Amino acid sequence: MKNLPIFDLAVIATYLLGMILVGVYFSRKNKNSEQFTKASGLIPGWAIGMSIYATFLSSNTFLGVPGKAFGANWNSFVFSISMPFAAWVASKFFVPFYRATGEISAYTHLEHRFGAWARTYAVICFLLTQLARMGSIFFGIALSLQALTGYSMSAIMLVMGICIIIYTVLGGIEAVIWTEVVQGVIKTLGAALILYLIIVEMPGGVSKIVEIGQQNGKFSLGSFAPDLTTASFWVILLYGFFINLNNFGMDQNYIQRYHTATSAAEASKSVWLCVWLYVPASLLFFIIGSCLFAYYQVHPELIEGIRQQVAAERLPLNASHEQIVQVAATLQPSDYGDKVMPHFMVTKIPAGLVGLIVSAILSAAMSTISSGMNASATVFSVDIYKRYFKKDIKEKQTMQLLHIATVAFGLLGMGTGIAMIGVKSILDVWWQLSGIFAAGMLGLFLLGIISKQSGNYEALTATIIGILVIVWMTFSGSIPDEYGYLRNPLHINMIIVIGTLTIFLVGVLLTRLRKRREFTVES
């Protein structure tokens, strides 16, 4: 760990100040809740697409993907391959549907369809997903900046969180979108710069990187065998499709931005622009991870410091040096993959460029957190406060509520991030939590939009059964060995797939049984 040079600190401070000034600029327009949550529907499609791309390209991607590629292979890239399929469904069905409803919340229509319980259930799932997302991203910021500055991860999260809260509260969704446009450019250029610097430092250049990568299976997309018990190609493809379907079809972060577009066509274009930007960008981060693996294979002496740092984090504070060395010797690349890129930045990137790259990492984090805060505040105000506490709230009170809720969710996200300190892989934690929380939401939504004859009874029964299946799949690993046959045999990423299909198919089956009984009675 080392202190950053003054020039690098100045670059980072300038970036943070610039983001806050954007919020100040758009605060002049934020005189009502319509502007705060929808930007009055005046944002061009290309800007929304860049904004959605920036939300996807979070610090989970910036740090977690290279860490995953370093510790394993390109198996997780299959998630990105699934995006065009989900985008096609979203642009054809979801975007027109939400634009037609005119409802700012993605979950209001669930109450019209099945009752208040359905709306409340989806809102709770969404808010839990957002806390998991924001927490993992706050953790990602702190992970990299701690290596650079030596400050505690908690202090880093607090300072960064305050900056994000300020510009999000001041500028609303319009500030979120336009800062994300800038952040999307910065983080992409930052990734390209990191890749260039690794290749320049690598003895033997690209050919050596490819050689080492092939020898260690670093470019594999996973097993193509029809196996759902491991992270095979098909498991990640299914997981990616269902998660991206949830992102484009049920996630308030994205639904809210459809309403900021000037037309439904522009909103659909934004979805496709996000896909065409994110797929190659995510590949870039997998390439970075493989390059880092090759670099540290050539320089194994440099990895010892990372091993000992991870070992020290896993042991009590009073652990001896001998204990740390012993644990460090047992660690595998997958145990410290997330630490490698920050280490490379600290030791190999010249002064003057570190500030630019840290700004890129901050961009990766701030874009997703700010949109999550705005979306969470919107959902809380519309689906909880106005629904259950005060329906006829005045405009001034609505704005105050949105501001308070934005701050509250920002602080809760920081708290979740602090609770995640010490996790093995940012990407793994985020994927597991998002799959668990999103499964029930997506299944209920698909039932409502596809099965037109399904009613409240079928939806509620199917959701209860689906929740029981999700809980069993999530926690069955804790079942004692003597009852091991009761454990979930599938990979944990299959939770969203099985949970979604359970709710949808049980709902459809119950609806058909009811229709058959009604037909029998009538005849």
Side-chain angles (χ1 to χ4, degrees):
M1 295 184 293
K2 62 180 182 181
N3 293 323
L4 289 178
I6 295 296
F7 179 77
D8 288 315
L9 289 172
V11 170
I12 297 169
T14 301
Y15 164 75
L16 292 174
L17 180 61
M19 294 299 99
I20 292 173
L21 290 176
V22 170
V24 172
Y25 174 79
F26 285 110
S27 67
R28 299 177 302 173
K29 297 182 178 182
N30 274 315
K31 303 303 180 185
N32 55 64
S33 56
E34 174 85 4
Q35 179 65 31
F36 190 89
T37 58
K38 291 186 180 181
S40 300
L42 298 175
I43 306 294
W46 68 266
I48 299 170
M50 281 289 292
S51 171
I52 298 175
Y53 160 69
T55 298
F56 262 100
L57 193 61
S58 66
S59 61
N60 290 347
T61 303
F62 213 103
L63 294 169
V65 165
K68 196 71 174 171
F70 180 94
N73 51 35
W74 288 9
N75 175 232
S76 298
F77 178 63
V78 180
F79 175 91
S80 302
I81 296 175
S82 72
M83 282 186 71
F85 303 104
W88 181 83
V89 176
S91 61
K92 188 171 180 63
F93 300 105
F94 295 161
V95 173
F97 171 78
Y98 284 113
R99 292 282 302 194
T101 66
E103 299 281 359
I104 185 61
S105 168
Y107 314 113
T108 305
H109 76 280
L110 286 174
E111 180 170 2
H112 302 323
R113 189 70 181 77
F114 297 127
W117 71 267
R119 178 182 185 179
T120 303
Y121 169 69
V123 166
I124 291 171
C125 287
F126 168 75
L127 293 178
L128 289 173
T129 304
Q130 288 312 296
L131 289 179
R133 173 184 282 160
M134 288 190 288
S136 63
I137 292 167
F138 268 119
F139 173 62
I141 300 177
L143 190 67
S144 57
L145 294 191
Q146 182 194 43
L148 288 165
T149 65
Y151 294 119
S152 73
M153 295 178 75
S154 301
I156 291 169
M157 291 185 206
L158 184 62
V159 173
M160 297 301 103
I162 289 172
C163 292
I164 300 169
I165 288 171
I166 290 173
Y167 80 75
T168 306
V169 168
L170 289 175
I173 190 65
E174 194 164 8
V176 168
I177 289 175
W178 287 111
T179 52
E180 285 183 329
V181 170
V182 176
Q183 289 161 347
V185 174
I186 292 174
K187 68 180 80 174
T188 306
L189 293 176
L193 177 59
I194 290 172
L195 179 60
Y196 169 77
L197 292 171
I198 298 171
I199 293 174
V200 168
E201 288 283 335
M202 180 69 187
V206 175
S207 59
K208 187 64 174 177
I209 291 170
V210 173
E211 178 188 336
I212 294 174
Q214 289 176 336
Q215 290 173 353
N216 292 273
K218 288 297 167 181
F219 307 128
S220 169
L221 294 178
S223 170
F224 284 87
D227 180 10
L228 301 182
T229 63
T230 62
S232 64
F233 176 91
W234 306 110
V235 165
I236 303 303
L237 187 70
L238 285 169
Y239 170 84
F241 175 74
F242 277 81
I243 279 289
N244 284 314
L245 204 60
N246 181 76
N247 288 337
F248 291 131
M250 279 295 292
D251 193 318
Q252 179 71 20
N253 279 294
Y254 307 97
I255 307 308
Q256 192 165 335
R257 273 174 273 196
Y258 300 159
H259 291 292
T260 66
T262 54
S263 66
E266 286 292 297
S268 294
K269 287 178 184 177
S270 72
V271 173
W272 282 111
L273 178 59
C274 165
V275 171
W276 301 136
L277 289 172
Y278 182 79
V279 173
S282 66
L283 178 60
L284 176 63
F285 285 99
F286 280 99
I287 293 172
I288 289 173
S290 298
C291 290
L292 285 169
F293 179 84
Y295 176 81
Y296 283 97
Q297 284 289 104
V298 173
H299 298 287
E301 71 281 359
L302 298 177
I303 211 71
E304 187 56 33
I306 301 176
R307 286 173 175 267
Q308 292 192 15
Q309 180 188 352
V310 173
E313 290 176 357
R314 295 188 176 187
L315 291 170
L317 293 176
N318 59 352
S320 66
H321 177 70
E322 289 74 18
Q323 290 175 312
I324 292 174
V325 171
Q326 287 176 356
V327 173
T330 65
L331 297 177
Q332 300 299 314
S334 58
D335 295 316
Y336 51 82
D338 285 347
K339 303 281 189 180
V340 172
M341 193 161 80
H343 179 269
F344 181 84
M345 291 168 58
V346 170
T347 57
K348 295 299 176 182
I349 295 179
L353 293 180
V354 175
L356 293 173
I357 292 174
V358 170
S359 296
I361 294 175
L362 288 173
S363 296
M366 294 172 77
S367 56
T368 308
I369 292 173
S370 61
S371 61
M373 287 165 51
N374 185 275
S376 297
T378 301
V379 165
F380 177 80
S381 65
V382 173
D383 294 302
I384 296 180
Y385 192 84
K386 289 185 178 181
R387 172 65 180 80
Y388 292 105
F389 297 100
K390 194 172 182 180
K391 184 176 182 180
D392 300 322
I393 186 173
K394 295 179 181 178
E395 186 61 38
K396 184 177 179 180
Q397 294 173 319
T398 300
M399 287 297 292
Q400 291 174 343
L401 175 64
L402 286 168
H403 290 159
I404 293 171
T406 301
V407 174
F409 282 107
L411 295 175
L412 286 171
M414 276 188 271
T416 308
I418 292 170
M420 287 184 178
I421 293 175
V423 302
K424 180 177 176 180
S425 169
I426 306 172
L427 197 63
D428 281 347
V429 169
W430 163 236
W431 277 21
Q432 290 174 16
L433 291 175
S434 61
I436 293 167
F437 295 140
M441 254 195 320
L442 182 59
L444 185 60
F445 173 74
L446 292 177
L447 181 65
I449 199 172
I450 295 175
S451 182
K452 302 295 185 183
Q453 294 181 326
S454 294
N456 178 51
Y457 167 76
E458 291 83 14
L460 180 58
T461 305
T463 300
I464 292 172
I465 294 172
I467 291 173
L468 292 174
V469 169
I470 292 168
V471 170
W472 165 69
M473 292 185 73
T474 303
F475 299 106
S476 66
S478 302
I479 294 176
D481 290 339
E482 57 265 33
Y483 302 106
Y485 59 90
L486 296 175
R487 291 173 181 165
N488 167 30
L490 302 179
H491 190 271
I492 195 167
N493 285 344
M494 289 296 293
I495 291 176
I496 185 173
V497 179
I498 302 301
T500 298
L501 292 177
T502 297
I503 293 175
F504 175 72
L505 294 177
V506 169
V508 170
L509 177 62
L510 291 174
T511 302
R512 290 188 176 181
L513 291 174
R514 174 175 58 81
K515 297 298 290 183
R516 182 177 298 177
R517 287 196 302 270
E518 291 174 353
F519 177 78
T520 303
V521 171
E522 289 174 0
S523 5

